Amino acid sequence: MSVAWNVLAAMLRALGLLATDPAWGTKGEAIARFLALGALALERGEAGRADLEKLAAHIDTMVAQGREPTEGEWADLRARSDAAHAILQEAAKGDPTPEPESPADDSEGGTKD
Amino acid sequence: MHDIKKLAAAVCVVAMMALSACGSLNPVSRAETASQKTYALYGTFVVFEEQAAQIAQDSNVSLEVKRSLAAADAVAKPVMDKSVDLALTVDGIREDLAEGNSTEELLVIATENLMKWYLDAVPKVQALVAAVRGVRK
């Protein structure tokens, strides 16, 4: 199942590359972007499903053992959450505008004011 | 050109099938105690938070979408983190109680407080899940 989704996603990405051919013009770019998003959806959807299945199985085990989550299990989730949160906040800032290189006369303390 | 459009439509259908399969899983419904439920909700939150992070790293995704994902995460995360702290407190009190160092009343109060935060976190996690799924459609 997982392999099938990933193969399909790879095919979509390949088709997207074909659509970037200049002969397709701007529509080709739009199609390529759409196909890339479709591929991403397949890959993420499958990965998310697998992660949720794993989590559900973990909860089942916890219930069967009649125990509460351990501090290590909490810490593991918190570390993953903190890492994902940092990525999201960074991505929301957008691409940083490259700062121009300092002109040589800056070191001499000159200003234009 | 039309073939590609048909293929794109087929991709949407397949993606929605994958997502509906994903939606049928609910780890929270498997949990029994307050701490287990909180753990299951937190785990679900982390799964979608990680998906949001991966989507946000894709260059094909617009900045507007990235910001909407980050905003949904920023709303859910503090409430979820607080719930985790309270779950750890509940577990600590339960251990103390087993050793005779706490009271049943304290455990009930702490558990009720945890459930308040848990119930507050549920719609916020659902909003993040909806945001992630909205990007995929």
Side-chain angles (χ1 to χ4, degrees), chain B residues 11-33:
Chain B
V11 168
C12 284
V13 171
V14 171
M16 288 176 77
M17 285 169 61
L19 290 172
S20 61
C22 188
S24 66
L25 283 167
N26 184 5
V28 177
S29 67
R30 316 279 188 98
E32 290 181 352
T33 68

Side-chain angles (χ1 to χ4, degrees), chain A residues 1 5 8 12-13 15 19 24 27-28 31-42 44-53 55-60 62-63 66-71 73-74 76-89 91-95, chain B residues 1 4 7-9 11-12 14-15 17-19 21-22 25-27 30-36 38-40 42-61 63 66-67 69-71 73-74 77 81 84-85 87-88 91 94 128 133 135-136:
Chain A
M1 184 76 166
W5 289 127
L8 187 54
L12 288 181
R13 288 195 187 281
L15 278 171
W24 290 84
K27 282 185 179 177
I31 290 168
R33 182 168 286 218
F34 187 82
L35 288 173
L37 281 174
L40 181 68
L42 284 175
R44 290 292 84 225
E46 177 58 22
R49 199 177 69 87
D51 285 346
L52 286 177
E53 277 179 350
L55 176 64
H58 191 63
I59 298 295
D60 284 344
M62 209 178 273
V63 171
R67 68 173 179 86
E68 303 295 357
T70 64
E71 284 187 19
E73 287 169 334
W74 287 118
D76 177 54
L77 283 186
R78 199 189 289 264
R80 288 169 58 189
S81 174
D82 289 347
H85 179 73
I87 291 170
L88 274 168
Q89 296 310 309
K93 291 178 187 170
D95 295 329
Chain B
M1 181 73 86
I4 296 242
L7 182 63
V11 168
C12 284
V14 171
M17 285 169 61
L19 290 172
C22 188
L25 283 167
N26 184 5
R30 316 279 188 98
E32 290 181 352
T33 68
S35 289
Q36 289 170 352
T38 305
Y39 183 85
Y42 194 43
T44 303
F45 164 69
V46 170
V47 166
F48 282 93
E49 193 180 32
E50 287 177 338
Q51 288 187 48
Q54 291 208 10
I55 290 168
Q57 287 179 305
D58 194 293
S59 58
N60 290 305
V61 176
L63 183 58
K66 291 175 184 177
R67 285 182 173 156
L69 291 171
D73 173 57
K77 184 168 171 57
D81 283 347
V84 171
D85 291 341
L88 285 164
D91 291 346
R94 188 177 288 109
L128 175 65
R133 288 181 173 161
V135 174
R136 291 191 196 139

